[in-house]
C-alpha cells in the first residue's frame, strides 16, 4: 500500500512527524518551484535512505536587498504533488514567522570559503544559507542531506559547516541536471523570455570550451578564464559578472591547474542572474 505523505507546517508538527519516522532519514532542503534537479536529489535520497524528508522554504535571509525575493517563483500545490509522486514521507513548509520570529538574533558564519565567488558577488548570501540550513538540520535531524553540484560553493560551505558544528550528517552532492541544450536546471530559468532562454546556453558553451581546452592540455588558468569570458562576450544578451578557475577545496583562484579545479561563472542574461560550473582534474 502506498505510504501517505505527511505535511508539516509548524515546528511542533514537524517534530511530531519526524519522531515517527524509523530508520535512516534522507533530507532534501529546497526553496520550492521544483524541477528535475530537485527531483534527482529526492530520488537519490529515496534510493539511499529508509525515509525521505523535504522542506520548502524561500529563505529571505539569503537574498540581498536588490535581489529577487519578492518575485521568486512559487507553486506549492505543484511541488507537493511532485514530491508525493516521488514517495517523499514528510514535507515541511515552515513559515517565515516561525523561522525568524521577532527578535531573531543568531547567525552562522562560515569564514574563508564564503569570501570568494558567490560570497563576494552576493554579500550576506552564505550567512543566510548557513543559518537556515543549520536550523533545518536541527529540526529534521537527518542522517544524510542532499545538495546539487550546480551550487558548488554552497555545497562546500555546507560541508565545512556540518563538519565544524559536528552535525552527524553525511552531505551528499549530486550532479547538475541539464536541459537537452546544456542549460543547468534552475528555478530562475522561468524568468527568461524565449530570446534570453536561447542566450542562456552561453554559460554551458563557455564551460565546454574551457573543458575542451583543458582536455587538450591547457593548464594555464588565466587562459581558461579568458576563453570563457570571450565566449560569454560573444553573446549580446549576456553580461558576465565573474568567471573563475579555482582550487576545488579552497576556492582560491589558480594560476596553474595541477589538481581538482572548479570552473565557475555568474552571468546576467537580461535581468536574470545565472550560475554554472564544471569540475576538471
Ligand atoms: O539551494 C537552495 O535551494 C537553498 O540555498 C537551500 C539550501 C534550500 C537553503 O535555503
Amino acid at each position: 500500500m502506498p505510504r501517505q505523505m505527511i505535511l508539516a507546517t509548524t515546528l511542533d508538527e514537524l517534530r511530531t512527524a519526524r519522531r515517527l519516522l524509523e530508520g535512516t532519514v534522507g533530507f532534501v532542503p529546497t526553496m520550492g518551484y521544483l524541477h528535475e534537479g530537485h527531483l534527482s536529489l529526492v530520488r537519490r535520497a529515496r534510493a539511499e535512505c529508509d525515509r525521505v524528508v523535504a522542506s520548502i522554504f524561500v529563505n529571505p535571509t539569503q537574498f540581498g536587498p536588490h535581489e529577487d525575493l519578492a518575485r521568486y517563483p512559487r507553486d506549492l500545490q505543484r511541488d507537493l504533488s511532485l514530491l508525493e509522486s516521488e514517495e517523499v514521507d514528510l514535507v515541511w513548509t515552515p513559515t517565515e514567522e516561525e523561522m525568524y520570529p521577532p527578535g531573531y538574533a543568531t547567525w552562522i558564519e562560515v569564514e574563508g570559503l564564503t569570501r570568494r565567488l558567490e560570497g563576494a558577488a552576493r554579500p550576506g548570501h552564505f550567512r543566510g544559507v548557513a543559518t537556515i540550513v543549520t536550523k533545518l538540520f536541527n529540526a529534521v535531524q537527518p542522517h544524510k542531506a542532499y545538495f546539487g553540484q550546480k551550487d558548488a560553493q554552497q555545497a562546500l560551505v555546507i560541508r565545512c559547516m556540518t563538519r565544524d558544528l559536528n552535525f552527524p550528517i553525511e552531505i551528499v552532492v549530486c550532479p547538475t541536471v541539464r536541459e537537452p541544450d546544456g542549460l543547468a536546471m534552475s528555478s530562475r530559468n522561468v524568468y527568461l523570455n524565449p530570446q534570453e532562454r536561447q542566450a542562456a546556453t552561453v554559460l554551458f558553451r563557455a564551460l565546454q570550451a574551457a573543458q575542451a581546452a583543458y582536455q587538450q592540455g591547457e593548464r594555464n588558468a588565466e587562459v581558461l578564464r579568458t576563453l570563457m569570458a570571450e565566449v560569454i562576450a560573444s553573446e549580446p544578451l549576456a553580461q558576465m559578472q565573474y568567471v573563475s578557475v579555482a582550487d576545488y577545496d579552497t576556492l582560491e583562484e589558480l594560476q596553474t591547474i595541477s589538481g581538482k579545479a572548479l570552473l565557475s561563472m555568474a552571468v546576467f542574461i537580461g535581468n536574470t542572474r545565472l550560475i554554472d560550473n564544471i569540475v576538471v582534474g
Side-chain angles (χ1 to χ4, degrees):
M1 206 174 81
R3 289 189 289 225
Q4 216 188 342
M5 185 171 86
I6 299 168
L7 243 182
T9 305
T10 66
L11 192 50
D12 277 350
E13 286 166 0
L14 183 271
R15 287 193 174 130
T16 306
R18 170 64 184 92
R19 261 183 241 120
L20 299 174
L21 296 182
E22 286 171 356
T24 54
V25 169
F27 177 44
V28 182
T30 81
M31 298 209 299
Y33 211 71
L34 305 179
H35 51 68
E36 276 299 312
H38 297 110
L39 299 183
S40 75
L41 308 182
V42 171
R43 287 175 198 137
R44 178 87 173 261
R46 185 74 276 159
E48 294 184 352
C49 304
D50 298 319
R51 300 295 178 153
V52 179
V53 179
S55 63
I56 300 175
F57 180 63
V58 182
N59 174 36
T61 66
Q62 68 188 73
F63 289 77
H66 305 295
E67 294 184 357
D68 55 342
L69 172 62
R71 67 179 191 128
Y72 195 82
R74 292 162 168 88
D75 191 342
L76 183 60
Q77 283 322 312
R78 183 175 162 275
D79 289 347
L80 293 177
S81 84
L82 286 169
L83 294 173
E84 192 157 33
S85 350
E86 298 297 335
E87 298 182 15
V88 167
D89 296 281
L90 169 59
V91 182
W92 187 26
T93 59
T95 62
E96 206 175 311
E97 294 68 37
E98 184 141 54
M99 296 316 264
Y100 299 108
Y104 186 86
T106 304
W107 302 95
I108 305 295
E109 292 263 12
V110 177
E111 296 182 350
L113 268 183
T114 57
R115 297 214 184 94
R116 306 173 191 284
L117 306 176
E118 288 300 283
R122 304 180 66 189
H125 171 66
F126 285 119
R127 177 188 195 246
V129 170
T131 301
I132 194 66
V133 173
T134 298
K135 288 166 71 69
L136 295 169
F137 280 2
N138 277 333
V140 174
Q141 306 210 345
H143 298 88
K144 292 184 171 200
Y146 295 81
F147 296 88
Q149 173 64 22
K150 177 175 162 280
D151 295 303
Q153 187 176 13
Q154 168 172 281
L156 289 171
V157 168
I158 288 169
R159 210 167 239 158
C160 175
M161 176 196 93
T162 302
R163 187 199 59 206
D164 292 353
L165 297 182
N166 309 119
F167 281 115
I169 300 171
E170 185 187 331
I171 303 301
V172 182
V173 182
C174 303
T176 302
V177 179
R178 298 182 180 280
E179 300 285 356
D181 62 5
L183 177 65
M185 292 209 182
S186 162
S187 305
R188 290 187 166 102
N189 292 349
V190 72
Y191 298 149
L192 302 168
N193 68 31
Q195 290 88 343
E196 291 170 342
R197 170 63 189 79
Q198 276 220 307
T201 59
V202 76
L203 283 85
F204 189 56
R205 285 189 273 125
L207 290 168
Q208 277 185 313
Q211 188 175 41
Y214 174 86
Q215 280 163 354
Q216 281 154 27
E218 183 59 69
R219 294 295 181 271
N220 183 323
E222 191 53 31
V223 169
L224 297 182
R225 282 188 285 266
T226 305
L227 185 58
M228 291 192 286
E230 280 170 2
V231 176
I232 295 164
S234 72
E235 172 49 67
L237 294 181
Q239 183 70 47
M240 182 184 103
Q241 191 173 34
Y242 66 76
V243 290
S244 160
V245 176
D247 178 272
Y248 188 74
D249 296 313
T250 63
L251 298 184
E252 271 173 52
E253 285 304 315
L254 292 169
Q255 289 192 324
T256 309
I257 303 181
S258 56
K260 204 170 164 186
L262 180 74
L263 278 52
S264 67
M265 59 183 59
V267 178
F268 280 93
I269 304 290
N271 291 324
T272 303
R273 184 177 184 278
L274 299 177
I275 58 172
D276 202 354
N277 69 80
I278 55 167
V279 179
V280 297

